[in-house]
Amino acid sequence: MMLELSYLDEWLPICDDSVLTPGRGMAALLPDGRQVALFRDRAGRWYAIDNRDPFTGAQVLSRGLIGSAGGRPFVASPLLKQRFDLESGRCLDDEETSVAVYGIRVRELAAVS
Amino acid sequence: MAHMPTIVLVGHGMVGQRFLEALAERGVTERARVVVLCEEPRPAYDRVRLTSYFDGKTPDDLSMVEDGFMARHAIELHLDDPAETIDREARTVTSRAGRVIAYDTLVLATGSYPFVPPVPGKDATGCFVYRTIEDLLAIEEYAKTARIGAVVGGGLLGLEAAGALKGLGLETHVVEFAPRLMPVQVDEGGGAALLRTIENMGLVVHTGTGTQEVLTEDGSVTGMALSDGTTVTTDMVVFSAGVRPRDQLARDCGLTVGERGGIAVDERCRTSDPAVYAIGECAMAVDGRVYGLVAPGYEMALTAAATIAEEEAGGFTGADMSTKLKLLGVDVASFGDAHGTAEGCLDVVYSDSRSGIYKKLVVDPDGVLLGGVLVGDAEAYGMLRPMTGTKPPVAPEQLVLPAGAGAPVSLGPQSLPDDAIICSCHNVTKGAICACSSLPEVKKCTKAGTGCGSCVKVIQQLLPKPADSGMCGCFTYTRSELYEIVRTMRFTSYAELLDSHGREEARGGEGCEICKPAVASILASLTNEYILDGERAALQDTNDHFLANMQRNGSYSIVPRIPGGEITPEKLIVIGEVARDFGLYTKITGGQRIDLFGARVDQLPQIWTRLVDAGFESGHAYGKSLRTVKSCVGQTWCRYGVQDSVKMAIDLELRYRGLRAPHKLKSAVSGCARECAEAQSKDFGVIATANGWNLYVGGNGGATPRHADLLAQDLSDAELIRLIDRFLMFYIRTADRLERTAAWLERLEGGLDHLRDVVVHDKLGLCDELEALMAAHVASYHDEWAETLNDPERLRRFVSFVNAPDAPDPSVKFVPERGQIKPDLTILTLEPLEGASAR
């Protein structure tokens, strides 16, 4: 199945969904140079947020550990450990800060023709 | 409507506030009108901690009045409006603002005023007292233009004031009339220890001399003339030579006062007029003394409140003068019969002038503890004071000897009787504290620990450990408990563990960034399988995940293992070539290895291919695992060496490489007692002796350095390795998450003795198992990087972008510095592009 990201009002194919390990993230490069962090959780749900850690400026959020608190999924930055809600992009440790959220979906390849 | 009686409180200091709380606790505020007249512009504050204002506390931080307290109890508080006259016939009080308040009961809590000796110049500009927040503000302001300050009075408050002046950056003098500092609290020996320590801090102390005159020029302070004929140049003078009870109001209305001042009260704190009470520092108790400490003041406040509430209660007949203070950073405590005035009493003294420690206990001929003085180290105060009046369970000398100097006692507060007073400020017994379950509860229900705070440590030891000491939001267990669960139930997966042993609300969830790596480490310690296969890949911190250390711009650094710091020229050249070919920044580490910085994630496999081909393996700089075993060059080359420290370091490093632990492990081996490898600052350090090896454990450098403890001496090679095997496995089994051996050893109940019992004397019968676990680790060791390179599946993660495997990350860029590279941080400061797509 093909993983797709919402980009300029279209769905941009990224990779085969089996490439991602459940519970772990990967980064994707958009045509305009932005980087997106993709995650897949234990239950098989997908999330996509900006890859840039706003606290350090480094493109590393895809390499953080994910977890859940109060039923909501988050990723902890691998640099200074601030946590970001994977659904809203809100930083759980600093109300002032958030990262962008991207639309993500998985499409049956067989359905395309 | 029935007549509602009026209670008027004159003075709103700490004791006044405690009195109001005691009235409220007894419901008196519901059936009486309570009016408070306060001279100061702010409600009661913590005068005992006045000096902490200079440590950055604000006046509000020092407030003693809980928000909404006055309104909740309908207490009328008039600030900035002191009582001026009392008409006992008419039962009215008149305030400065002209308020006339009729009272049924009057309570005087006017406190005391600083005594200023009647010397010429005492009112000059630059003379201050040290009593209120306003005094402090004035001192702070004046000190801005001053260089030198002098304090008159070397007692408790005088030293507080001196500490404040020193903190304001002034050259500080202390003038004390008595032959020693703190003459009331400590004896000659204690005073001498205190003097040395305080002089070492750069304060100038003049004892045994009085102030004759404050020298002035144009009305401002320029110096002081002392009674010994000397003069001290100073820009300001702070008088802190004791306090006197403020009893003028009482004198004016004809109440009985003591000869040396103080409003005379009976044991219910009533004055000579039964409608008038006096409490705190303005009152003279039935024993003829005026108590200048807060604890007796509180007791009087409770006594007066109970009497007004018509409650049966014990009276106030006198109080314990025990104190524990930190003055200028020096602990000073005295309790009971500190000066040894009881007939036939004996002293037990420990004195160490070098470190400024002085401890004296006063005992009677039968060994009953009567009192004592502690200077420099007052740790034992919390235990000793409640023991006063009893015969301690061990010989008195064992109570004063420092830990580790043949003092086998670790007397816990558990050994105290239930009626022992733990908090002397609020007179709270051990029994009352043990009835509570947490420190906040103790403070709320008994007020224990809210006075001087010296008993808080003992209270914590008395309370049960918090029920939820769980590692994180996912588990109620600590790391060592999880270790036992994983070991005995043979779990091999995090998800299974979370779903069966996690908190109810966390089961089935994702876990979190705290417990995932911790459990991964436990699984690795117990099974030693490749850490990045299957589910485990999702548990590791990024450093473990990429087998390298992430740096600030998202690039990684690489540390090949160089066992014992020994390396051939050929291998050194390979490192140099790899660094040159990939443009890496190179730096020698503190652990005798070479760190290569600036690799992109996609370069890691290429770099390691070269390194592995040359015979290098992972140095585990990224893991909570053994880092390095440093060594000095040892007997082979060094004329002082007595053993081959390099060979031992290599053996140890190869034995324990890859061992996953609660935190990183560092080690070193020194070839002689000169200790060039700094083994005593390591988790486990080895020092050669003529007969073998000494093993030190629990050392640490870093932010909280700790000297390692000697665990065993003169071991053979085999004995040494067996003991380290046991030590490390015992640590891995029982330590908390991210707890280094130093903190673990500090926390371990029974400390070093217990550790020795377990790993040397095998008291718990664990040693066979610990050794077997280590043997399994050694047998199953594999180089993580070699294994990774051999498996294309495992290499798939080493790309910057999943949709562009060949594209390097454009945000990882470098600029030159000193002939090498450094991260280009300007790229990172660019804000991200606008316009992220909506879902």
Side-chain angles (χ1 to χ4, degrees):
Chain A
M1 296 208 289
M2 180 54 76
L3 200 58
E4 298 184 330
L5 274 177
S6 153
Y7 177 70
L8 302 178
D9 300 326
E10 288 183 24
W11 288 100
L12 183 72
I14 299 295
C15 63
D16 191 83
D17 71 332
S18 65
V19 175
L20 265 83
T21 309
R24 199 91 230 175
M26 283 290 242
L29 186 63
L30 296 183
D32 63 9
R34 278 181 290 164
Q35 298 189 20
V36 182
L38 318 173
F39 301 93
R40 175 190 205 170
D41 71 10
R42 253 179 97 182
R45 284 179 295 254
W46 295 90
Y47 309 95
I49 62 172
D50 207 273
N51 193 31
R52 183 176 179 273
D53 171 11
F55 292 95
T56 59
Q59 299 276 0
V60 294
L61 291 185
S62 60
R63 296 179 219 158
L65 280 173
I66 72 168
S68 56
R72 294 184 66 85
F74 66 81
V75 62
S77 166
L79 280 170
L80 300 175
K81 311 296 175 199
Q82 291 93 351
R83 296 167 303 158
F84 297 87
D85 189 297
L86 289 177
E87 286 176 341
S88 69
R90 212 166 40 84
C91 177
L92 304 180
D93 302 300
D94 180 355
E95 279 181 13
E96 309 276 288
T97 307
S98 64
V99 294
V101 176
Y102 295 79
I104 185 169
R105 71 172 188 183
V106 176
R107 194 168 51 88
E108 291 276 354
L109 285 178
V112 193
S113 57
Chain B
M1 201 176 121
H3 167 69
M4 190 143 172
T6 301
I7 300 170
V8 175
L9 169 67
V10 177
H12 192 221
M14 299 173 79
V15 170
Q17 173 61 19
R18 184 72 190 93
F19 170 75
L20 295 176
E21 288 168 11
L23 285 185
E25 284 157 14
R26 287 165 179 74
V28 179
T29 44
E30 283 163 37
R31 46 182 199 267
R33 176 182 175 221
V34 180
V35 184
V36 186
L37 293 175
C38 173
E39 179 179 36
E40 290 189 51
R42 62 187 92 239
Y45 55 86
D46 191 346
R47 219 182 288 281
V48 174
R49 294 209 182 91
L50 203 55
T51 310
S52 65
Y53 168 77
F54 289 120
D55 304 333
K57 291 241 181 184
T58 67
D60 281 348
D61 292 334
L62 293 171
S63 174
M64 300 289 288
V65 187
E66 206 186 302
D67 272 350
F69 173 83
M70 296 294 168
R72 204 161 53 244
H73 299 290
I75 297 170
E76 302 164 35
L77 170 64
H78 301 290
L79 296 176
D80 231 342
D81 192 15
E84 288 214 314
T85 54
I86 296 167
D87 182 342
R88 291 202 287 123
E89 287 289 304
R91 293 203 175 178
T92 58
V93 183
T94 305
S95 76
R96 188 169 65 193
R99 280 194 184 86
V100 180
I101 307 158
Y103 67 81
D104 297 276
T105 304
L106 177 64
V107 180
L108 301 175
T110 46
S112 57
Y113 63 91
F115 169 68
V116 177
V119 295
K122 69 181 171 61
D123 297 319
T125 305
C127 284
F128 297 89
V129 293
Y130 193 80
R131 179 71 184 162
T132 65
I133 288 186
E134 272 59 41
D135 294 336
L136 249 64
L137 297 174
I139 290 171
E140 189 182 30
E141 187 56 37
Y142 198 83
K144 286 178 187 164
T145 57
R147 192 176 63 81
I148 310 172
V151 175
V152 177
L156 198 154
L157 282 170
L159 293 184
E160 287 265 354
L165 291 187
K166 184 167 183 290
L168 290 169
L170 302 191
E171 176 190 325
T172 305
H173 293 256
V174 177
V175 180
E176 168 56 48
F177 186 69
R180 63 172 182 274
L181 294 170
M182 292 190 75
V184 180
Q185 286 82 9
V186 307
D187 60 358
E188 210 182 308
L194 196 56
L195 177 66
R196 262 189 306 274
T197 310
I198 286 177
E199 284 183 336
N200 282 341
M201 292 175 191
L203 278 78
V204 187
V205 181
H206 312 259
T207 50
T209 182
T211 307
Q212 217 147 42
E213 188 182 347
V214 176
L215 307 174
T216 60
E217 208 177 290
D218 300 331
S220 295
V221 174
T222 57
M224 286 198 312
L226 304 184
S227 60
D228 62 5
T230 60
T231 55
V232 174
T233 304
T234 184
D235 304 316
M236 60 194 295
V237 174
V238 178
F239 289 104
S240 202
V243 293
R244 298 287 184 270
R246 287 183 77 182
D247 53 12
Q248 197 57 44
L249 210 50
R251 285 173 194 271
D252 292 346
C253 69
L255 292 171
T256 308
V257 293
E259 259 177 50
R260 283 177 298 156
I263 308 164
V265 295
D266 65 10
E267 61 181 48
R268 310 231 62 86
C269 295
R270 272 179 304 232
T271 66
S272 52
D273 177 343
V276 183
Y277 292 74
I279 56 177
E281 293 182 304
C282 66
M284 180 184 76
V286 282
D287 61 357
R289 298 174 71 172
V290 172
Y291 288 95
L293 292 175
V294 73
Y298 282 175
E299 224 179 298
M300 292 166 94
L302 294 179
T303 304
T307 307
I308 291 165
E310 293 171 354
E311 256 179 31
E312 288 293 320
F316 182 86
T317 53
D320 182 17
M321 293 290 281
S322 302
T323 35
K324 179 186 169 197
L325 304 144
K326 205 176 196 72
L327 289 170
L328 294 154
V330 188
D331 282 326
V332 179
S334 80
F335 58 97
D337 184 7
H339 292 282
T341 54
E343 202 170 320
C345 69
L346 306 162
D347 288 351
V348 179
V349 177
Y350 170 80
S351 173
D352 176 1
S353 315
R354 218 168 25 119
S355 43
I357 291 173
Y358 174 86
K359 299 180 189 181
K360 180 181 82 171
L361 297 183
V362 179
V363 294
D364 80 358
D366 297 327
V368 172
L369 181 64
L370 299 177
V373 175
L374 307 169
V375 175
D377 173 12
E379 185 72 26
Y381 174 79
M383 280 300 298
L384 290 172
R385 191 191 44 72
M387 272 186 211
T388 309
T390 68
K391 196 171 165 177
V394 296
E397 61 271 22
Q398 295 187 320
L399 296 170
V400 292
L401 282 173
V409 249
S410 55
L411 271 183
Q414 272 72 18
S415 63
L416 293 170
D418 269 359
D419 58 358
I421 303 288
I422 302 295
C423 171
S424 60
C425 295
H426 291 283
N427 234 339
V428 185
T429 62
K430 177 186 164 191
I433 286 165
C434 290
C436 302
S437 57
S438 70
L439 187 60
E441 191 188 338
V442 169
K443 288 184 171 177
K444 192 156 181 282
C445 300
T446 69
K447 292 197 169 287
T450 61
C452 71
S454 69
C455 59
V456 169
K457 211 166 171 184
V458 174
I459 294 174
Q460 276 169 333
Q461 288 172 314
L462 284 172
L463 292 171
K465 292 276 163 282
D468 192 342
S469 52
M471 179 154 63
C472 59
C474 307
F475 288 100
T476 55
Y477 300 102
T478 62
R479 181 197 170 277
S480 58
E481 287 165 344
L482 283 176
Y483 180 96
E484 288 307 315
I485 291 167
V486 171
R487 188 181 64 88
T488 53
M489 304 188 66
R490 296 175 193 279
F491 278 110
T492 53
S493 130
Y494 169 80
E496 274 177 58
L497 182 68
L498 179 67
D499 294 349
S500 61
H501 285 75
R503 291 176 198 263
E504 207 61 54
E505 63 274 20
R507 292 186 187 180
E510 288 299 310
C512 77
E513 80 284 11
I514 294 169
C515 58
K516 277 178 165 177
V519 171
S521 160
I522 291 171
L523 292 170
S525 298
L526 285 168
T527 64
N528 205 24
E529 286 171 8
Y530 182 74
I531 62 164
L532 297 177
D533 276 349
E535 179 213 41
R536 281 176 213 178
L539 304 180
Q540 310 291 351
D541 270 323
T542 187
N543 287 358
D544 274 306
H545 191 66
F546 290 107
L547 306 168
N549 291 47
M550 184 185 272
Q551 303 298 335
R552 60 188 297 175
N553 65 341
S555 66
Y556 287 84
S557 72
I558 293 161
V559 184
R561 186 168 296 291
I562 301 178
E566 184 185 83
I567 186 164
T568 62
E570 286 72 24
K571 284 180 122 178
L572 208 45
I573 288 166
V574 171
I575 289 184
E577 285 173 346
V578 168
R580 186 192 58 209
D581 295 351
F582 286 87
L584 304 175
Y585 168 81
T586 55
K587 178 150 193 345
I588 311 285
T589 72
Q592 302 184 339
R593 335 203 256 186
I594 298 169
D595 208 341
L596 311 171
F597 290 79
R600 284 193 320 269
V601 75
D602 47 283
Q603 293 176 314
L604 291 171
Q606 307 160 30
I607 292 170
W608 270 106
T609 301
R610 300 261 305 262
L611 292 171
V612 168
D613 282 349
F616 285 105
E617 53 181 38
S618 167
H620 293 97
Y622 47 80
K624 303 295 177 224
S625 55
L626 180 82
R627 295 287 167 86
T628 81
V629 183
K630 274 172 74 169
S631 68
C632 68
V633 75
Q635 186 189 33
T636 319
W637 293 89
C638 176
R639 63 199 147 131
Y640 299 114
V642 293
Q643 303 282 351
D644 187 349
S645 50
V646 178
K647 177 173 188 302
M648 180 53 79
I650 293 171
D651 287 350
L652 293 179
E653 185 158 343
L654 295 182
R655 183 170 183 81
Y656 303 121
R657 63 189 162 177
L659 179 67
R660 252 57 189 196
H663 210 315
K664 62 186 168 192
L665 288 165
K666 295 184 177 182
S667 178
V669 181
S670 278
C672 78
R674 286 165 197 266
E675 243 285 66
C676 296
E678 297 160 333
Q680 288 168 97
S681 66
K682 303 298 179 199
D683 294 284
F684 60 102
V686 179
I687 301 177
T689 70
N691 307 315
W693 307 97
N694 285 353
L695 175 59
Y696 291 81
V697 295
N700 202 356
T704 45
R706 184 182 189 276
H707 226 68
D709 291 311
L710 179 61
L711 185 65
Q713 283 176 283
D714 292 331
L715 303 163
S716 68
D717 289 10
E719 286 169 337
L720 174 71
I721 285 167
R722 193 166 65 222
L723 196 50
I724 297 174
D725 283 0
R726 295 171 177 183
F727 166 76
L728 289 177
M729 275 301 170
F730 187 54
Y731 160 69
I732 288 170
R733 186 164 180 161
T734 57
D736 267 339
R737 171 184 166 266
L738 300 185
E739 186 175 45
R740 292 286 296 272
T741 58
W744 168 73
L745 191 52
E746 288 287 329
R747 180 179 61 88
L748 198 65
E749 212 162 308
L752 184 67
D753 289 339
H754 175 66
L755 176 65
R756 199 175 277 129
D757 279 344
V758 175
V759 300
V760 179
H761 307 306
D762 199 12
K763 210 169 144 188
L764 300 180
L766 275 178
C767 287
D768 283 349
E769 193 187 328
L770 298 175
E771 285 174 34
L773 279 167
M774 189 62 84
H777 163 80
V778 173
S780 61
Y781 168 81
H782 40 248
D783 173 29
E784 283 161 4
W785 263 110
E787 293 209 335
T788 304
L789 295 174
N790 286 335
D791 187 337
E793 201 45 43
R794 288 169 178 169
L795 285 172
R796 273 185 25 182
R797 81 188 59 186
F798 293 94
V799 292
S800 290
F801 302 108
V802 67
N803 59 339
D806 299 324
D809 183 344
S811 75
V812 177
K813 284 275 190 295
F814 303 92
V815 289
E817 179 166 87
R818 294 191 295 277
Q820 296 203 68
I821 57 158
K822 70 170 184 180
D824 182 356
L825 297 178
T826 57
I827 293 181
L828 306 184
T829 55
L830 299 175
E831 282 300 314
L833 295 164
E834 288 301 316
S837 318
R839 286 205 124 171

